[in-house]
Structure formats: C-alpha cells, structure tokens
Amino acid sequence: VLPTLALQAAPKRERRKDARPSEILDAALDVFAERGFAAAKLDEVAARAGVSKGTLYLYFTSKEELFKAVVRKNIVSMLAEGRAMIASWPGNTADLLREFMIEWWRRKGETKVSAIPKVIMAEARNFPDIAAFYVEEVISPAHEMIASIFERGVARGEFVRPANMEDAVHSVVSAVLFLVNWKHSFACCVAGSEMHPERFLVNHANLLIEGLAVRERVAAPKRTARHQ
Amino acid sequence: VLPTLALQAAPKRERRKDARPSEILDAALDVFAERGFAAAKLDEVAARAGVSKGTLYLYFTSKEELFKAVVRKNIVSMLAEGRAMIASWPGNTADLLREFMIEWWRRKGETKVSAIPKVIMAEARNFPDIAAFYVEEVISPAHEMIASIFERGVARGEFVRPANMEDAVHSVVSAVLFLVNWKHSFACCVAGSEMHPERFLVNHANLLIEGLAVRERVAAPKRTARHQ
Amino acid sequence: VLPTLALQAAPKRERRKDARPSEILDAALDVFAERGFAAAKLDEVAARAGVSKGTLYLYFTSKEELFKAVVRKNIVSMLAEGRAMIASWPGNTADLLREFMIEWWRRKGETKVSAIPKVIMAEARNFPDIAAFYVEEVISPAHEMIASIFERGVARGEFVRPANMEDAVHSVVSAVLFLVNWKHSFACCVAGSEMHPERFLVNHANLLIEGLAVRERVAAPKRTARHQ
Amino acid sequence: VLPTLALQAAPKRERRKDARPSEILDAALDVFAERGFAAAKLDEVAARAGVSKGTLYLYFTSKEELFKAVVRKNIVSMLAEGRAMIASWPGNTADLLREFMIEWWRRKGETKVSAIPKVIMAEARNFPDIAAFYVEEVISPAHEMIASIFERGVARGEFVRPANMEDAVHSVVSAVLFLVNWKHSFACCVAGSEMHPERFLVNHANLLIEGLAVRERVAAPKRTARHQ
DNA sequence: CATGAATGAGTGTTCATTCAT
DNA sequence: GATGAATGAACACTCATTCAT
C-alpha cells in the first residue's frame, strides 16, 4: 500500500470518529432497554455499536457512566422542551395537561427511550448512585414542571388548588409510569396484555381534570368527550 | 433458663421439617425484596434462614421455583380474601373501591410483600416464565376482581359505565403499582422522596369515583372530603 | 390399632429384613450399570431399592464398598463355576474354549452384569482401589482359568504352545471386553451400532483355534514369523 | 539471556493469540486423558495451559466443545493419512493390515491420544452427544478404512471373503481397543499388568490373517462351521 | 485512537455422607 | 433397625474491567 493511499481515502476509523460516542450510546440504549442495567452485557453493546469492548472505555469510564450518558442524551436533554411548551402554551390549562402527557408519550413513551425510567426504578435499590443521579437530573425537574402546570391552572382560575400538590403530581406521573412499566414487562412476554396508551392517558387525564377543574354547579359541566 | 442450658449446645442439625419451608420462604422474601430476582443470592437466603445452601434444594427445586413459592405464599393466597370482601360488602360501591385499595395497602402494600409485584415487573423481560406465571395466577384474577367492583357499581346505579372497562381497571392498578414501585426504588435510596401512601390512594380513588359516579346535575354533587 | 395386631402380621419392615441387602445390591447393579460409578447417585439406588438413603449406610460403609459388594455378588461368585466347567469338561479343548466364551456371554454378557467390567475399566484411573480389588478378585483368577484351558489343550496335544501365553489369553479377553464395551457405549446411544455377539464370539474363537490348533498337514504352510 | 532480563517481569497478560488454542488443547488432552470427561476439571486444564479459567471460554464455548476440539485435533485430522496409506500401499495385503495396526499404535496408541477412544467409550452413555459425534467423525470412517483393507485382500485373491465383514472389522478393532482400554485402566494403577502392545498386535493380526488367508492345502483341514 | 485477549471473582446447583430421632 | 433432613465442598460458566500492542 502506497503512502498516498492514506491521503486519498480517509480510513473508516477516522471518518466516523466524531460519530462514535453517539453510535455507542444508541447501541447502549438498545441493550439497556432490552435487558436492564445489571443484565446488559457490554459485549453486546460493543457488538451492536460495531466497536470493540475496549473502545467503550475510551469514551465512558464504566458501565454506570455509560448508562448515565444514555440518560443524559435521551431524557435530560428533553426537559428544556417541556419547559418551553409550558411557558409558551397559549390555550387553557386542561388542554395543556392533556397535551403534555400525550406529547411525552408520542415523543418518548412510544420509543425505546421509555425503557429508561422503567429500568431505573427496577434497579434503583441495587444501584443507588444511578437512582440519585436520576432523581436530581430528571425526576425533580419533571415534577416541578408538572406542578407548574397545576399552578398555572390555579392562577388562571381554571383549577381548584389540589388537596395536595405532590399527590396530584404523582397522579399524573403514576399513569405514565404505569404505561412504561407495563409496556416493558408483561406486554413484552405475555400474550393478551396489550394496552391502548393514548386512550388510557386521555381517560386518565380527564379523570384528573374533572376532579380538579372549577365547575359551574347549576349547569351540568361540559365534559370532554371520552376516548373510546 | 438455667445457665446449664447454655452448655447444651444447640444441635447442629435441628429437625424442624415442618417449620423449615416457611422459614426459608420468609428469608427468601426478604432477599428477593431487597435485591430483586437475578441479584438475589441463594447464599444469602440460606444464611438468613439459618440453613445451608443445600437445604434450600430439599424444599425447592430451583431459584425460580423458590421465587414462585414466595409469590404463592404471600400473594396468591390472598386473592380469596379480596373476593370475599367484594362479595360480602354491605355498603355503597364508592366506599368499597376506596376500602379495597386501602385494605390492600395496609395488609400487603406496607409490608415487604409489596416488593413482589415490583420485582416481577422489573425482571419480567429477563424471566418470562415468572411473568407468565404471575399474570395467570395473580394479575388476571386481580383485574377481574377490580372489574367486578365497577360492575357492581354500574349494576346498582352508582357508577356510569366506564368508557373502557380495561382502562378503568388500569387506572386503579396504576396507583397501586406506582406506590409499590416508588417505595421500592427511589424511596429506598434517595432522601426527600417520601410518600403518603394512604392519602395518595384516597385522593386517587376520589378522582376516579367522581369521574365515574352518577351525579345529580342540578344540585351540587356531594363530594367525599379530600384527604389532606 | 390393638397390640395384638402387631403379633398377627409381621410388619413389612421385619419381613423383608433379610432380603434388604440383596434388594439394595440389585438396585445398585442397575444404577451402576446405567451410569457408571462416579455418576451413579445413591439417591437413585435407594429409591429403586425402596429404602431411604440412610439405610444404604447400614449395610455398606460407602459407595465404594457398595460397588465392591455388587461385584462380589455378581462376578466373583461365578468364578468357581468356570473352574468346575473346565475341570469336568469331557470333550476336546477347542470346544471347551468356544463353549467357555459362549457360556460366559449367555450367563453374564447378555445381562446387566456385563456392565461391571466395562464400568471398572472406564473408571479404574479415578478409583484405583476398585481397580486393584477387581484385578485381584476377578481378573487374575479369570486369566488363570483361560490359561489353564490353553494348557489343557497343549497337554492333550490339541494345541501348539502359544507363542506367548499372556498374549493368547488377552486375545480371548479382548473379544469379550470389546463386546461388553460396545454394548454399553455406542450400542446404547447410536443407531446402527448393533452387534451379533454370539456370531462374533464364535468367529473370533475359530480364528484363535485355527491359529493355535495342531493340524495335519502335508505341506506346512509358510507362516509369518511370530513376534516373541 | 542477560541477568537483567530477570527483572523484566513476565507480563501478566501475554498476547499469544495464535498459540493459545493449541496450548489449551494440549493441556485439555492431558486432563481428559487422566480423568475422563466428567471428572476433568476446567480449573486444571486452565492451570496446565497457564491461563485463567475465563480464557478457556474465549476459545471454546463449553466443556463439551473443548473435548470435541481435542478429538478433532488429535484424531479426526489423522484419518486422511490412514486412507493415503491404504491407497498407496505397494505390497501384499497381509503386510498392509499388520502395518496399519502397528502404525496406528506407534503414532497414536503409544501417546496420550490413545486415551480418547477409551474415554469416549467409558462415558458414551452419559454424554450421548459426544458419542454420536465420535461415531460419525471417527468410527464410521475408520471402519470403512479397515473394511477397505479386507476388500483389497479379497480383490487381489489374497484373502477369502470373511464370513461376515463387520465381524472381521470388529476383530481388528477389538485388539486395538483392548490395548487402549487396558493401558488407560489397569496398567495405570495395578502393578504387574504390563502389556507388550506391538507383540500382542502382531500376534493378533497373524491369527486373523492365517484365518483369512487363502492357503494351498493338500488336505483341507476340518473347520468348525462358521457362524453366519 | 483502537483493539481484543486476558482476567478472576462470583453463583446456582449437585450429591456422598452424617446423625438426631 | 430405619429414616430423611441437613450439610458443605465442589464445579461449570459469566462478564466488567484492564492493558499491552
């Protein structure tokens, strides 16, 4: 091989250098989503990313750091969008809440990313560092966002102040986590466990909204049509 | 107890055939609850039960069978009580639903047993046999029980027929699973993640009930007082 | 149950007391024949004998002693018959040799007992005590018996003295061991490995006899020089 | 070698990828030959090969595959040479048969490799996969080779057609297996069990040849009728 | 930068033997 | 005598991490 050849065609390795970490993260998301954290094998991550196992350690110092990087890329990065959505929402707060939940489902819940919160809850006890990281980087901000939706509703006179704000937030979160947990557990391996996520989310949201919304008591309240 | 008794060394091999399986199951529940299925070590189960590792295999043919036995002892055995509660409930269905959820929490949710559904959801993908077993033995019967509560409410004219019965059941289940998952994940290892389970359950139940209950439309509906 | 009943019917246990060791040895022969020595499980022996595992140790001090007892019962006990056959044989020695081999096959080779020499050869290195026991109690006497057949033939002028007596004995033994080994290895688990034991033995014996027998010859055949 | 080299400690992790599999196979042959398949410990194989236990699994997926690889390296690879020997043999067939047996002994029988057929027969019942593999890869081809020697002899008018070809092949094989079994059982652990393999093989071959060879006879010897 | 060979601690399961009853 | 519960050492196989090249 003549030296000039090296100049003519950039070797594969170089060409993809910048893409490597991202390719690894994509592969890692796949494997963590399918197996969970402890049962995920770095061999498999490396194989799917098309690199050697040693290469993983060039970019991530440990399995745990790799997992955190997956979380950062796929979840943390998305919080800002949620905040923007809330801040710029033009309409009423009931619609905001419904759209917020549906939008989350469409953009993350339907994808492999939805496995991440499930995996973290599943293994939090065995890997408390990961749990603490996730609470700080994801759960706390997310809960504040949801609380801010309720506060917007109260401030605009659309919602009564919930009996307990934390509980109300959890009532929203519980539906989302239920979907995510179900999807990545029984729905994977037991026939007849199908769900209709969006229908369920809207129905659930409606229950919360009708329980929270200020109603005119003499006239029958207009109810948002139930999803069927 | 006389001091001389201390000299009568505890026999190395105690014959307690009748008690052993139960002692092992208790120890196993502890360990599975703390670590999950895959990460649970049979060494640890044996040590906590005060037996050798080999003894486990006298009573249970494998780790998986041991786990199933734990489920049978602690969960399956309790379904009949739930059915009896529903069948013999004297009052209105809204109270039945609330009491059903609260009772579950008090009798199982607050104990280590509540880790079982969490562990099963967490590892269903990696151990589909266990998941299938659990769906058949626990989830299907439990969902039928909850559906029968709604049907009772509809039959007695207390509830409107839910838009989708399956979704309604899931809205009940989601709250319970949320508590269970939270308790055995972030609540274990992250400060400031406390929950108020009973308050949350009642609030959640009320949301569902007020969304389902038949209301007199002219007069303001009587609402059950919110838990604080 | 009245006390007199104990007198009327001897309890099972007592009735079979004398038979126990023999029942155990029969069960042990089955299991050793099927699995070999190391892989045989005493659980299985006990189960087939219809006794508890502990009972085995009442009659035999260890697995090894149990195995030796099986050998004594089934093989050692038969050597005397062989000696008697040789001592009382009325006819010519070629027939004696053929009959000796065939008789062995019919009385032992066809039965489960034939697994014993196979098992011993198979595991001699791992259990040298058993091997030494077998050489002393079975192989040496058996080889002397076969040698005595050749000596009878030579003494009666029927056989030429074999080039090497030990080799000649081994040429007899090799056929028998081949049958036994084949029967309990490939014949058990590979289709199309059938043998015709008696035909093979007679053919083999004839080769030996025609090579050893004194023949009337007009022209002596040229024989390849025998190794010494 | 300079003394200073002693200070350059041997690197903990030597890179010898090309040599490793062969070193492991050699160590494995040793251990399988000494202990058999079931009793062989992979720890011991690893120790003798100078690698860690995990390294074995880089090259062989299981104990059984390791064993098969040992067979392939040491036995299967040698069948072609046998076929070549037969195809190119210039002399008479009696010599070919004798040389074929002797050559096998010198090249394999005297070495540790000879333990392989013994081990496989010993454990065929417990590991039928290995037995089937061996029958297909070794025994069937080997028996065809031996049969082809007899056919050559018949075609050239040197041998009478054997009464039963399969039996005749087995009469050859029986001597070889006898040697191999003896060598790796009693000869290992019982004094006074020595054999003279080559002498035995030649004597055995001569018996077969003189029984098979066409002879000029003035008076036909009376032969006991062959079994068919 | 990238590799991939090497490590070794860790765990579910088996089974001969013991011994209190 | 007979039991069978209990033991514990042993062993194949896995996988995150390292590091010489």
Side-chain angles (χ1 to χ4, degrees), chain C residues 77-203:
Chain C
S77 66
M78 173 209 173
L79 293 171
E81 300 171 32
R83 269 187 286 264
M85 179 186 183
I86 294 170
S88 65
W89 187 256
N92 71 61
T93 309
D95 289 341
L96 170 57
L97 180 60
R98 269 186 294 266
E99 282 307 305
F100 187 82
M101 292 171 74
I102 296 293
E103 193 65 15
W104 184 89
W105 182 255
R106 290 198 181 131
R107 299 184 52 180
K108 295 292 166 176
E110 283 181 344
T111 74
K112 282 174 300 206
V113 174
S114 62
I116 290 178
K118 184 262 185 179
V119 166
I120 289 174
M121 292 193 84
E123 314 197 43
R125 288 191 79 160
N126 293 334
F127 302 94
D129 288 352
I130 292 178
F133 157 81
Y134 192 75
V135 167
E136 180 161 355
E137 305 257 341
V138 179
I139 292 184
S140 294
H143 282 204
E144 277 168 27
M145 274 163 58
I146 295 168
S148 78
I149 295 177
F150 286 128
E151 278 154 10
R152 180 189 193 268
V154 172
R156 290 164 54 111
E158 297 169 287
F159 290 172
V160 288
R161 176 163 294 281
N164 180 286
M165 176 64 85
E166 209 177 277
D167 285 349
V169 169
H170 287 160
S171 281
V172 171
V173 170
S174 73
V176 167
L177 290 182
F178 174 74
L179 278 178
V180 151
N181 271 304
W182 198 268
K183 174 183 172 186
H184 295 285
S185 55
F186 303 120
C188 287
C189 49
V190 179
S193 312
E194 298 79 21
M195 297 243 0
H196 297 265
E198 295 196 20
R199 187 189 70 194
F200 170 73
L201 281 179
V202 170
N203 277 336

Side-chain angles (χ1 to χ4, degrees), chain A:
Chain A
V1 176
L2 297 176
T4 53
L5 281 179
L7 297 174
Q8 289 172 351
K12 262 188 188 176
R13 185 180 293 175
E14 305 258 345
R15 232 188 293 142
R16 293 194 334 209
K17 186 159 46 171
D18 295 343
R20 274 284 154 79
S22 191
E23 289 168 357
I24 292 171
L25 289 173
D26 290 347
L29 173 59
D30 283 5
V31 178
F32 285 130
E34 285 175 25
R35 307 244 189 265
F37 179 75
K41 300 171 203 172
L42 293 191
D43 283 288
E44 202 177 345
V45 174
R48 292 206 201 181
V51 301
S52 74
K53 203 159 36 157
T55 301
L56 302 181
Y57 285 84
L58 289 176
Y59 296 101
F60 308 98
T61 59
S62 69
K63 194 185 189 185
E64 224 170 284
E65 285 305 318
L66 173 60
F67 185 80
K68 288 182 185 172
V70 169
V71 175
R72 280 195 201 93
K73 176 179 180 184
N74 292 286
I75 308 253
V76 177
S77 66
M78 173 208 171
L79 294 170
E81 300 172 30
R83 269 187 285 263
M85 179 186 183
I86 294 170
S88 65
W89 186 257
N92 70 61
T93 309
D95 289 341
L96 169 58
L97 179 60
R98 267 187 296 266
E99 282 307 306
F100 186 82
M101 292 171 74
I102 296 293
E103 193 65 16
W104 184 88
W105 183 254
R106 289 196 182 133
R107 299 186 48 181
K108 295 292 167 177
E110 283 182 342
T111 72
K112 284 172 301 204
V113 173
S114 62
I116 289 178
K118 184 262 185 179
V119 166
I120 288 173
M121 293 193 85
E123 314 197 44
R125 287 192 80 160
N126 292 333
F127 302 94
D129 288 352
I130 291 178
F133 157 81
Y134 191 75
V135 166
E136 179 161 354
E137 304 259 340
V138 178
I139 293 185
S140 294
H143 282 205
E144 277 169 27
M145 273 163 59
I146 296 169
S148 78
I149 294 177
F150 286 128
E151 278 154 10
R152 179 187 194 270
V154 172
R156 290 164 55 110
E158 297 169 287
F159 290 172
V160 289
R161 174 162 295 280
N164 180 286
M165 176 63 85
E166 209 176 278
D167 284 349
V169 169
H170 286 161
S171 281
V172 171
V173 170
S174 73
V176 167
L177 289 183
F178 174 74
L179 278 179
V180 151
N181 271 303
W182 199 268
K183 175 183 172 187
H184 294 286
S185 55
F186 304 120
C188 287
C189 49
V190 179
S193 311
E194 297 79 21
M195 296 245 0
H196 297 265
E198 294 196 19
R199 186 190 70 192
F200 171 74
L201 281 180
V202 171
N203 278 337
H204 193 89
N206 284 339
L207 292 178
L208 299 178
I209 289 162
E210 294 185 19
L212 288 172
V214 173
R215 304 182 208 158
E216 303 121 43
R217 291 298 159 89
V218 173
K222 290 179 198 166
R223 310 182 85 193
T224 304
R226 285 274 167 82
H227 269 238
Q228 296 300 329

Side-chain angles (χ1 to χ4, degrees), chain D residues 125-143:
Chain D
R125 285 192 81 161
N126 293 334
F127 302 93
D129 288 352
I130 292 179
F133 157 80
Y134 192 73
V135 166
E136 179 160 355
E137 304 257 341
V138 179
I139 292 185
S140 295
H143 281 204

